Amino acid sequence: MLANTTTIVFSKWLTLSKVITSVGFFSTIIAVTTFLILSFFFVRTNYENYKRYMVVFSLLGFGLAAIEAAVNPIFHSYNVGFVMFSLAHPFSASTEVAFTLLLFYTGFYAATISFLTAQFFYRFLAIVYPQLVPTFFGGFKILIWISYSFYFGVQWALGVIIFAHLDDVATEYMQDEMLQYYGKRIEDIAMCAVVAYDKNYNLRWFNVMCILNMTLIMMIQYGLIIGFGWRMSVTIKQAVSMLSTSMIKLHTQFFKVLVLQILVPTITLFLPVFILMYTPLFNFQLRFPSGVMLSAFSFFPAMDAIIVMCILTDYRNAIKNMFEGVSMTVHGAMRVTNVAESTAMSRWTT
């Protein structure tokens, strides 16, 4: 009876997580599609090169949200361990394929936060060393930064494969938990696990290496972002007397975008993952479906696109022009219809 009750309670949390993920995914479709349409057809600027990097970043975020919607990854924390698994089988895929998609999901997460670092580096050079921008970001050098982000994505996914695969200790520790709260046997689902301590409370360094690998990647990206951001803020303040009003306004807008681009993922990407990773080391004696906390991932791409469209003047003007064009088209169509109706009416009365 207890098993049935707890399974029902946790199924409600899973339903909530799935609803949040679905809403986030559809929000991402709308926001990112709008951003891409504006970028390709309406926004004409003198920072076209940087615009390509914003487009790539939006596409990475969209890929993260799409994989999350397809796989619906579930996280569960239990005392000295946590698991990531999926009950979904997209397109009737096998458990092995579902596990591969889980790995893609973790890789896209790391790639997305890494490409954000490339954006900060671009704006850092544009403000502090503008003469070096063509050297690091001109032409096809965008492929270097795409490779940079995917390197860390691969490192993150490999860390999960190597250090978080299910062994006998993790299986024994989690099997009753999964059966009682999710009604599933471990061998029937796509799953990886981290269990920080064994029965004798000895640290399992093999699993802890997974946490350290994730921490290393996050600290590298976050450290670079904070460093570039601090230097940009200092330089902008010092250059107020030397730059034109329009350039100060442009750099200030970009800086606001970048600050929000790190503030939002700090809340939706970095902090939840950091909390989830380190709870096993402190053995807080708790169990909860932590996936609900992480389902905010799916909103990040939408929020990022909205940030850019709301702050940058070029995008705000493009949105205004787009809606004015739609309004004029609608009014034009209505005018033509009214004229046609008037003509037909006059002919009938005649």
Side-chain angles (χ1 to χ4, degrees), residues 175-318:
Q175 60 184 354
D176 290 339
E177 186 78 3
M178 296 302 298
L179 188 60
Q180 179 177 350
Y181 288 95
Y182 299 97
K184 295 291 183 180
R185 298 186 306 167
I186 286 180
E187 55 267 27
D188 295 333
I189 56 179
M191 177 178 166
C192 55
V194 168
V195 177
Y197 301 97
D198 61 19
K199 290 180 178 180
N200 299 318
Y201 211 70
N202 296 316
L203 197 64
R204 284 165 41 87
W205 282 105
F206 196 73
N207 271 181
V208 172
M209 285 299 296
C210 180
I211 298 175
L212 295 178
N213 179 59
M214 295 175 183
T215 303
L216 175 64
I217 295 173
M218 293 176 68
M219 294 303 293
I220 289 174
Q221 310 309 329
Y222 210 76
L224 289 173
I225 286 170
I226 296 300
F228 293 144
W230 175 80
R231 183 64 187 278
M232 281 189 289
S233 66
V234 172
T235 303
I236 289 175
K237 291 177 182 178
Q238 293 175 344
V240 169
S241 60
M242 296 180 288
L243 296 176
S244 65
T245 303
S246 60
M247 287 302 296
I248 292 174
K249 182 179 179 181
L250 179 62
H251 284 312
T252 301
Q253 286 181 350
F254 274 124
F255 185 70
K256 288 179 179 178
V257 168
L258 291 173
V259 167
L260 287 174
Q261 280 182 322
I262 190 53
L263 181 61
V264 171
T266 295
I267 298 172
T268 62
L269 295 182
F270 287 103
L271 191 58
V273 171
F274 193 81
I275 294 173
L276 173 64
M277 286 193 306
Y278 279 92
T279 50
L281 294 177
F282 298 97
N283 191 13
F284 287 132
Q285 295 298 305
L286 53 81
R287 59 163 57 91
F288 66 101
S290 46
V292 176
M293 182 175 64
L294 301 180
S295 56
F297 284 10
S298 58
F299 283 97
F300 170 67
M303 289 188 289
D304 180 76
I306 291 171
I307 287 170
V308 174
M309 292 186 289
C310 288
I311 293 180
L312 293 185
T313 302
D314 292 316
Y315 279 88
R316 293 203 308 268
N317 292 337

Side-chain angles (χ1 to χ4, degrees), residues 57-78:
F57 186 66
S58 294
L59 292 176
L60 280 173
F62 178 79
L64 177 66
I67 296 176
E68 183 176 14
V71 182
N72 190 28
I74 302 167
F75 297 83
H76 179 81
S77 298
Y78 171 52

Side-chain angles (χ1 to χ4, degrees), residues 103-114:
L103 295 177
F104 269 103
Y105 170 72
T106 62
F108 260 89
Y109 168 84
T112 301
I113 62 175
S114 299

